[in-house]
């Protein structure tokens, strides 16, 4: 049942965008000229494409995120069971948490967290 | 406490038994009604939130804000929507057209998707999966992709820069957001949102009381990270108007821009709503263990409790937005990776210790 509702919710979202877009297309004005089709750039003609190589720092943080995010996802099933495990829960997750903490400490020490 | 699922069951029964409709039609009608309810709530809340933001911002800056359209400026937002609708929608020649039109879908799907998980009242959650809160974090991360695609597809130098900044900021803050939610899950022992709220009914059972120190810390970290996740000041690096004109939605005109505006405010509401649900008890009324007081509090409908708490957090976040100056990109990343991330790991361990040794705050 919830899956049907979930699909309904997603379709609602899509419907909202399509409806608003089509109303705007219908009642909005339409005109075209060459200058209007240029990307905005402080009034002077644009120079070249914007799809340029980016600062490597962004990708570094993306990789770090990927690592930690996957590790936090693994924590969810454990989190649900902590109450029934009692003190044992701490022991079972200790090693895993250590990997997480050491990973962060290592990245920090290596200077991966510095923005250059 | 009034249970809304009675109404839902009555309506389901009405369709099935009284009208004698088949399975297909019943589900279709119910889904359409749910969709309409979501759209209505979404639009109404967007209007209220945008109006509130303008007024709050105005009073923080010693102005009076919009007052001309309607009584005390109440119709200003409707006027804005009308204006956005009659504006032309056009694409930059060099833009990636497919991605350009796809991006608003992703952003709106993420915000409507997370929005429909909020518990409005007892039994009035639209989606109530048993992995609810986990699914919320999963869906909310689609929004990052939407914002990134919007900036990238525009083929505008400001937009591309803003997309990169927005992406790196939002993915970073997702980590502490997730860790704070995990600490809450440890305390409640369930991921289902109705279950999380259910665990907070009773005297002094809101998580923020139940989990005392780690829960309060987690609430604060959640608010900070949520603010960054909703891309609002002081973390509005992605649309830093003094350096990037309008950021990732520079090249969007009319309604295209409207979607991002809508999603921003609804994301703010969703983040506040989640903070209210997870830490402040959702629709659960405040009970202090004295019978007379508790009975009076239980008479107040759950939806009022939920909206009251949520708007309290919304006001808090607006207050922060209009008080603090914008951070630089290195400051934002330092704050997350060198302060909030270790702090949320410590909160997680503290919370585990508290739960494992039964040091939670409960009145028997």
């Amino acid at each position: 049942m919830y899956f049907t509702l979930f699909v309904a919710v997603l379709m609602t979202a899509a419907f909202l965008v399509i409806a608003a877009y089509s109303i705007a297309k219908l009642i909005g004005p339409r005109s075209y000229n060459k200058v209007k089709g240029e990307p905005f750039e402080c009034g002077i003609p644009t120079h070249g494409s914007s799809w340029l190589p980016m600062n490597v720092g962004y990708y570094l943080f993306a990789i770090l995120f990927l690592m930690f995010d996957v590790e936090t996802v693994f924590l969810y099933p454990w989190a649900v069971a902590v109450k029934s495990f009692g003190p044992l829960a701490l022991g079972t997750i200790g090693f895993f948490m250590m990997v997480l903490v050491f990973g962060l400490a290592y990245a920090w020490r290596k200077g991966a967290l510095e923005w250059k | 406490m009034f249970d809304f699922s009675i109404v839902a069951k009555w309506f389901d029964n009405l369709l099935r038994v009284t009208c004698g409709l088949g399975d297909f039609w019943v589900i279709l009608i119910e889904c359409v009604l749910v969709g309409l309810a979501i759209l209505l709530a979404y639009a109404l809340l967007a209007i209220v939130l945008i109006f509130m933001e303008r007024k709050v911002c105005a009073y923080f800056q010693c102005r009076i804000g919009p007052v001309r359209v309607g009584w005390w400026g109440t119709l200003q937002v409707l006027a804005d929507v009308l204006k956005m609708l009659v504006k032309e929608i056009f694409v930059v020649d060099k833009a990636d057209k497919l991605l350009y039109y796809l991006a608003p879908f992703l952003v709106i799907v993420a915000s409507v998707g997370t929005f429909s998980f909020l518990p409005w009242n007892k039994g009035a959650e639209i989606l109530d999966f048993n992995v609810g809160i986990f699914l919320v974090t999963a869906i909310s991360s689609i929004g990052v992709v939407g914002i990134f695609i919007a900036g990238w597809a525009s083929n505008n130098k400001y937009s591309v820069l803003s997309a990169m900044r927005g992406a790196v900021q939002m993915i970073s803050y997702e980590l502490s957001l997730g860790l704070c939610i995990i600490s809450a899950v440890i305390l409640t022992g369930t991921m289902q949102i109705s279950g999380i709220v259910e665990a907070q009914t009773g005297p002094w059972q809101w998580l923020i009381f139940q989990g005392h120190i780690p829960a309060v810390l987690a609430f604060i970290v959640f608010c900070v990270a949520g603010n960054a996740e909703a891309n609002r000041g002081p973390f509005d690096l992605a649309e830093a108007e003094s350096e990037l004109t309008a950021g990732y939605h520079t090249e969007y005109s009319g309604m295209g821009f409207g979607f991002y505006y809508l999603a921003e405010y609804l994301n703010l509401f969703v983040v506040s709503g989640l903070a209210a649900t997870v830490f402040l008890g959702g629709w659960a009324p405040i009970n202090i263990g004295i019978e007379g007081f508790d009975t009076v509090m239980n008479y107040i409908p759950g939806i009022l409790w939920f909206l009251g708490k949520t708007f309290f957090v919304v006001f808090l976040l607006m207050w922060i937005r209009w008080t603090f100056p914008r951070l630089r990109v290195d400051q934002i990343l330092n704050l997350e990776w060198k302060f909030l991330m270790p702090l949320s790991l410590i909160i997680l361990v503290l919370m585990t210790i508290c739960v494992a040794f039964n040091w939670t705050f409960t009145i028997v």
Side-chain angles (χ1 to χ4, degrees), chain A residues 68 99-109 113, chain B residues 337 341-342 345:
Chain A
F68 285 105
V99 173
L100 213 88
V101 171
F102 277 134
L104 187 65
Y106 180 75
W108 198 333
R109 189 71 205 279
L113 304 184
Chain B
W337 288 94
M341 174 84 175
L345 281 172

Side-chain angles (χ1 to χ4, degrees), chain B residues 27-342:
Chain B
I27 289 175
L28 187 71
I29 290 173
E30 281 171 359
C31 281
V32 167
L33 280 179
V34 164
L36 281 179
I38 291 173
L39 282 186
L40 200 70
Y42 197 81
L44 261 176
L45 276 171
I47 286 170
V48 170
L49 283 167
I50 293 172
F51 181 69
M52 180 179 166
E53 167 99 314
R54 290 192 160 187
K55 280 293 184 190
V56 169
C57 154
Y59 281 99
F60 273 114
Q61 297 173 342
C62 300
R63 301 182 283 118
I64 50 172
V67 281
R68 302 276 172 197
V69 191
W71 178 76
W72 207 52
T74 34
L75 296 181
Q76 181 69 50
V77 183
L78 284 177
D80 287 349
V81 172
L82 265 182
K83 186 188 169 182
M84 267 182 222
L85 274 177
V86 298
K87 288 281 165 188
E88 183 188 353
I89 292 177
F90 69 96
V91 197
V92 178
D93 283 342
K94 279 194 254 166
D96 189 328
K97 302 257 175 355
L98 174 70
L99 292 183
Y100 182 89
Y101 282 116
L102 180 73
F105 278 96
L106 292 178
V107 173
I108 292 285
V109 160
S111 103
V112 172
T114 45
F115 178 72
S116 48
F117 278 90
L118 295 179
W120 300 92
N121 196 347
K122 189 181 170 107
E125 304 87 358
I126 295 169
L127 296 177
D128 195 23
F129 289 99
N130 51 4
V131 286
I133 199 87
F134 177 57
L135 204 55
V136 169
T137 56
I139 295 174
S140 77
S141 54
I142 297 175
V144 187
V145 181
I147 282 175
F148 185 77
I149 287 181
W152 184 261
S154 296
N155 201 352
N156 176 324
K157 292 192 180 69
Y158 295 122
S159 301
V160 174
L161 265 178
S162 142
M164 295 302 271
R165 282 186 184 188
V168 79
Q169 171 198 325
M170 287 169 85
I171 59 171
S172 297
Y173 279 83
E174 226 160 74
L175 286 175
S176 24
L177 209 66
L179 285 173
C180 287
I181 287 176
I182 292 177
S183 349
V185 169
I186 290 175
L187 196 46
T188 55
T190 172
M191 283 195 262
Q192 193 163 18
I193 289 188
S194 63
I196 289 177
V197 180
E198 208 72 55
Q200 303 180 60
T201 51
W204 298 111
Q205 287 292 292
W206 292 5
L207 277 205
I208 206 162
F209 301 133
Q210 208 181 339
H212 48 92
I213 300 162
V216 171
L217 285 175
F219 177 64
I220 294 167
V221 173
F222 188 92
C223 282
V224 174
N227 207 6
E229 194 62 14
N231 251 327
R232 292 169 50 82
F235 305 100
D236 55 348
L237 259 194
E239 39 181 310
E241 62 272 8
S242 47
E243 9 179 328
L244 297 174
T245 53
Y248 53 89
H249 53 59
T250 306
E251 296 297 352
Y252 281 83
S253 66
M255 211 53 220
F257 161 74
F259 293 131
Y260 293 102
Y261 203 53
L262 205 65
E264 185 195 326
Y265 284 94
L266 263 299
N267 282 342
L268 167 70
F269 183 81
V270 168
V271 162
S272 316
L274 279 181
T277 305
V278 173
F279 294 103
L280 302 181
W283 48 259
I286 187 162
N287 284 359
I288 56 170
I290 301 168
E291 204 177 321
F293 182 83
D294 291 355
T295 320
V296 172
M297 285 298 144
N298 287 346
Y299 268 116
I300 301 174
I303 186 158
L304 285 187
W305 279 107
F306 176 73
L307 285 180
K309 287 168 194 172
T310 306
F311 274 98
F312 166 73
V313 181
V314 166
F315 180 75
L316 216 64
L317 294 186
M318 282 182 181
W319 190 352
I320 290 168
R321 172 171 188 178
W322 295 108
T323 309
F324 290 102
R326 181 181 302 126
L327 301 174
R328 280 199 320 264
V329 65
D330 60 326
Q331 289 169 331
I332 281 193
L333 291 171
N334 273 350
L335 176 67
E336 162 62 21
W337 288 94
K338 294 189 180 167
F339 182 70
L340 289 186
M341 174 84 175

